[in-house]
Amino acid sequence: MIELDSLTRNKSRTFLTGFGVFWGVFMLVGLLGGGKGLQQMLAGNFAGFATNSAMMFSSNTTKPYKGFRKGRWWSMELDDIQRLKSNVRELDVVTPMLFSGGGNAIFNDRKAEVGITGNTPDYRFINGPKLRFGRYINDVDIVQKRKVCVIGKKTYQELFPTGDDPCGKRILVNGIYYQIVGVDWNVSGGISFGAAPGTNMIVPITVMQQINNRGNRVDMIAVTCKDGVVMSEIIPKMRETMARAHAFDPTDNQAIDVMNTEVLFQMIENMFSGVNILIVMVGIGTLLAGAIGVSNIMMVTVKERTTEIGIRRAIGATPRMVLSQIIGESIVLTLVAGMCGIIFAVLILSGLESIPTENPVHYQVGFWTAVAAAVGICIVGIVAGLAPALRAMAIKPVDAMRDE
């Protein structure tokens, strides 16, 4: 009866200890996979957007300059495109944009709210379209001032719920008919100008200038820098070029707003690096807690097997043999529990991936990550079994017999 109770206690302790290791590995692998999936989801919000770009907007001056009072409003113009290209050689793409108030796009008896943006073909290098149908606006559209448009995903779904190809069809927006030439399926929820994601209607910038009587003015200038150039290093040169052309203080940073997306993407990358470090720390902490449990259970096991170890020593077992036995048992315990944790985490992550979403997200950890986790489990087993093994090595046959 006593032996049965002892066996039951050992099994219970072993189960609880193994569960601690199992939970620690499951947390580590699961959090790593979840963090990877979350990173992909956030990256999807900025899909297609150039990471080396910047957007410039004019604003009120905050410093007096050459007889002008502070608080003066100024506007960017098309001539600034050539000025920037000539004076800031590090720039690659320089393209203007115009924004218009929202309106309703009407096709037959269906209606959808849109925000109209006047672009040039070069804007595709800033925010790359994901065309489901048709094409993007081109240079011929600009020169001939064609009333054509590229509509967003949400607008397309509201106007053409049957999923037909809309290219060639005309929609009425604010009393003007535009011919659809493309459908942009890219919904950049992180960065959007002029309209809510998926509702943007892109028209040639020359058409918007003519319809809205905008003249030479532009609302925004988008730029990208050449490979190997850091955007933040050339922004002062861009400010100086604009200040010289529009007579405001070059040191007046408030006179022209510059949104450096390079800094934004770097912040996101640093944030996820910190999240990954936190995940690893939490996982390692949980594993160490499991290792302490394994070490304790092995200590109890060694104490209960004092007589057995003493007899083995008496009949010729070397300390090395005893050491390898105890550490081996510790490694087996942690490895079995840890591999179960890895398998269970992989199954959970596979279940998350099987959930149908518009943009598939991969939560699975890589093969070498799983291998590294398995190696870490073995190391935890060795560390956890070291103290009990040293205690077992110190047992003398005479003391074991006296204990019996």
Side-chain angles (χ1 to χ4, degrees), residues 7 13 21 36 48 57 66 88 91 116 121 151 155 182 219 250 278 308 317 321 335 350 371-372 374:
L7 182 62
R13 286 196 296 262
V21 176
K36 178 182 177 182
F57 306 86
K66 291 185 177 181
V88 188
L91 292 177
I116 308 174
I151 61 175
T155 303
D219 295 323
L278 180 62
E308 174 194 337
M321 294 171 62
L335 189 58
S350 297
V371 171

Side-chain angles (χ1 to χ4, degrees), residues 16-36:
L16 292 175
T17 303
F19 181 77
V21 176
F22 164 87
W23 182 252
V25 176
F26 170 76
M27 288 284 292
L28 177 60
V29 176
L31 288 174
L32 285 174
K36 178 182 177 182

Side-chain angles (χ1 to χ4, degrees), residues 21-22 24-26 28-29 287 291 294 327 330-343 369-385:
V21 176
F22 164 87
V25 176
F26 170 76
L28 177 60
V29 176
L287 277 178
V294 171
I327 291 182
S330 176
I331 292 175
V332 169
L333 176 60
T334 55
L335 189 58
V336 170
M339 292 305 295
C340 290
I342 292 176
I343 293 172
T369 302
V371 171
V375 173
I377 294 167
C378 293
I379 295 174
V380 168
I382 293 173
V383 174

